[in-house]
Amino acid sequence: MADIANTTVRLTVVNPKDEGNPYNEPKEFTFSDEGANVIYIGRAPGNSVVLDDRNVSGTHIRIIRHGSEFFLEDLNSSNGTHLNQSKIEPQVQKLLRSSDRIRIVNYVITFHEGFEAFQLQSSENTKQIALEMIQSVLDGANYVEKPPKLILMTGAMQGQMVELSDAYTEVRIGRDPHRCQFHIDDENISREHALVRRDWTGVFIRDLNSRNGVIVNGQRLERNAEARLNDRDEIVLGTYRLSFSDPEGAQIDDKIDDIFASEEAEPEKKGRTPISKPAAPPPSMPGMEPEPAPEVAEVSNEAEDLPPAPAAPGSGMDEAVPAPMSNFGRGDDEDGPPEPIIETGLTGKEKAIIAVVVGVSVSVVLVVMVLLFMS
């Protein structure tokens, strides 16, 4: 059975502003299997989705698939493209998630993938989706975690990725093929440029005293400093751009935030003291404080004297360098011991586990009811 969670895309296109436009009412386009690998949108008739508007470029954007991930790219259009209210740079691919909104002039395109890409419009389609959902639930018994991963977005190796699975809880990125699990053969990359590690608190990236530095979301790390990575973060190493993908981690963080928010909103109703969300542990090594940058010239781990690399597209290197991130993720309250936490009920982790179990159980019941109804 095909893995529809990774091979189906639905786009909803609407233009409510231009009177008489064919898209005044929403129209939907569904792409599956190989048809979802590359989706072109523009004014020209040969596009996957045609927007017959003089303000839209001939081929304005494309949605391209790398592995199980989908990316948006503006193809150097005349009037630009916005993703969730932010204008994207031309020819720079941006990681997409379900419910993302793409705006081209007055056209709004909503992106959905996987099960969210389906609309239950016919009984035949309903039955098929129910069967797929049952298969998904059964597969859950042999659930295999979808680990975080790094995806190379530029250069000849574009699309290459490495997962932070149980086999690789630490991944070194660099030019040395013997010591680096993610090997990038380029003179602008240091022999051991960066280290990405994963533990129970999250995923972190460290600059290994590289020559051309590590930039996360436009902020350059100090040498040997570490920063936490979140889903859809963008990393620049020399002239190379990478995207960090961790949708499951993002979902867990959202659930935990909801739990703590509910605890803080109604403490008296539950008859317990509000639970304070624990501060994230500092990304630096235990017991060590980052030292101020020396005034003398810094020493690289490179033996040869390589010239600095030109800035990668979207890296922000042509602007003033933002403040370093050596204290990234540290708690603000360091003046005294924390107040004791009084916990008389289920912990946040236990609640999250119960919520997942209940959600799966309800899904199974609903699927069985749909099948019984269809039969």
Side-chain angles (χ1 to χ4, degrees):
M1 183 175 291
D3 184 4
I4 62 171
N6 290 334
T7 58
T8 302
V9 168
R10 175 166 57 91
L11 303 177
T12 303
V13 185
V14 65
N15 182 342
K17 294 186 178 181
D18 298 334
E19 186 176 352
N21 189 282
Y23 292 97
N24 284 158
E25 296 295 328
K27 292 186 179 181
E28 295 186 345
F29 301 85
T30 302
F31 305 91
S32 299
D33 302 325
E34 293 183 0
N37 288 342
V38 184
I39 301 169
Y40 290 99
I41 301 176
R43 189 183 69 249
N47 287 287
S48 310
V49 177
V50 177
L51 306 178
D52 189 9
D53 189 313
R54 64 180 182 177
N55 296 312
V56 178
S57 297
T59 304
H60 199 104
I61 63 171
R62 69 172 177 171
I63 297 172
I64 186 169
R65 178 184 176 193
H66 295 301
S68 60
E69 306 286 357
F70 290 91
F71 294 83
L72 171 68
E73 181 180 2
D74 181 285
L75 299 176
N76 203 25
S77 65
S78 299
N79 290 313
T81 305
H82 287 74
L83 175 61
N84 297 330
Q85 308 303 320
S86 297
K87 188 173 182 177
I88 65 174
E89 295 183 46
Q91 298 181 321
V92 174
Q93 295 184 6
K94 294 289 185 178
L95 186 58
L96 288 172
R97 292 283 178 252
S98 280
S99 300
D100 276 351
R101 289 180 165 236
I102 304 163
R103 183 166 63 83
I104 301 175
V105 195
N106 290 329
Y107 295 87
V108 178
I109 304 169
T110 305
F111 171 84
H112 291 287
E113 62 175 308
F115 284 114
E116 294 186 26
F118 284 87
Q119 269 199 322
L120 305 182
Q121 297 178 339
S122 67
S123 59
E124 182 177 351
N125 193 31
T126 301
K127 188 171 183 178
Q128 178 63 29
I129 299 304
L131 291 172
E132 297 283 3
M133 291 178 67
I134 289 177
Q135 182 65 48
S136 177
V137 172
L138 294 176
D139 290 343
N142 299 318
Y143 171 74
V144 177
E145 180 190 18
K146 295 179 181 178
K149 59 188 157 209
L150 292 165
I151 308 168
L152 193 58
M153 303 306 304
T154 55
M157 300 166 58
Q158 182 178 13
Q160 181 174 330
M161 62 186 69
V162 62
E163 294 183 343
L164 281 88
S165 60
D166 291 337
Y168 290 119
T169 55
E170 288 190 352
V171 172
R172 288 180 183 267
I173 306 173
R175 205 174 67 243
D176 190 333
H178 304 292
R179 303 192 63 180
C180 297
Q181 292 81 20
F182 202 158
H183 172 230
I184 302 177
D185 186 13
D186 189 283
E187 64 178 8
N188 295 309
I189 300 296
S190 298
R191 290 189 182 90
E192 295 182 43
H193 199 109
L195 172 70
V196 180
R197 67 174 183 86
R198 178 191 185 192
D199 62 24
W200 68 275
T201 63
V203 179
F204 302 87
I205 186 168
R206 175 182 292 275
D207 183 345
L208 296 178
N209 197 30
S210 65
R211 184 171 190 79
N212 289 312
V214 175
I215 300 173
V216 180
N217 296 332
Q219 291 186 297
R220 182 165 184 157
L221 273 64
E222 288 185 347
R223 291 187 174 185
N224 293 316
E226 193 172 69
R228 179 168 182 166
L229 293 176
N230 298 298
D231 184 43
R232 298 215 267 193
D233 277 354
E234 296 188 351
I235 305 160
V236 175
L237 309 177
T239 58
Y240 287 82
R241 289 181 56 254
L242 298 95
S243 286
F244 176 68
S245 173
D246 187 18
E248 292 189 357
Q251 292 173 4
I252 292 173
D253 287 342
D254 290 342
K255 289 182 182 296
I256 291 175
D257 288 340
D258 291 342
I259 289 171
F260 282 108
S262 64
E263 293 287 350
E264 294 170 359
E266 299 181 299
E268 296 182 359
K269 192 172 182 180
K270 297 179 179 294
R272 58 199 293 186
T273 301
I275 299 177
S276 300
K277 185 175 181 179
S284 56
M285 297 297 289
M288 295 179 61
E289 292 291 333
E291 298 180 359
E295 296 181 357
V296 298
E298 297 173 325
V299 179
S300 168
N301 70 343
E302 298 286 37
E304 66 272 26
D305 185 15
L306 295 175
S315 66
M317 288 294 291
D318 54 340
E319 303 172 357
V321 177
M325 300 172 60
S326 59
N327 290 332
F328 189 94
R330 295 189 56 173
D332 294 328
D333 185 7
E334 298 181 355
D335 296 332
E339 296 181 1
I341 297 176
I342 301 176
E343 176 62 79
T344 59
L346 295 173
T347 65
K349 183 176 181 180
E350 290 170 338
K351 286 185 175 182
I353 293 173
I354 292 174
V356 172
V357 172
V358 171
V360 171
S361 301
V362 171
S363 299
V364 172
V365 172
L366 291 175
V367 169
V368 172
M369 291 177 64
V370 169
L371 284 178
L372 290 175
F373 175 78
M374 295 306 305
S375 61

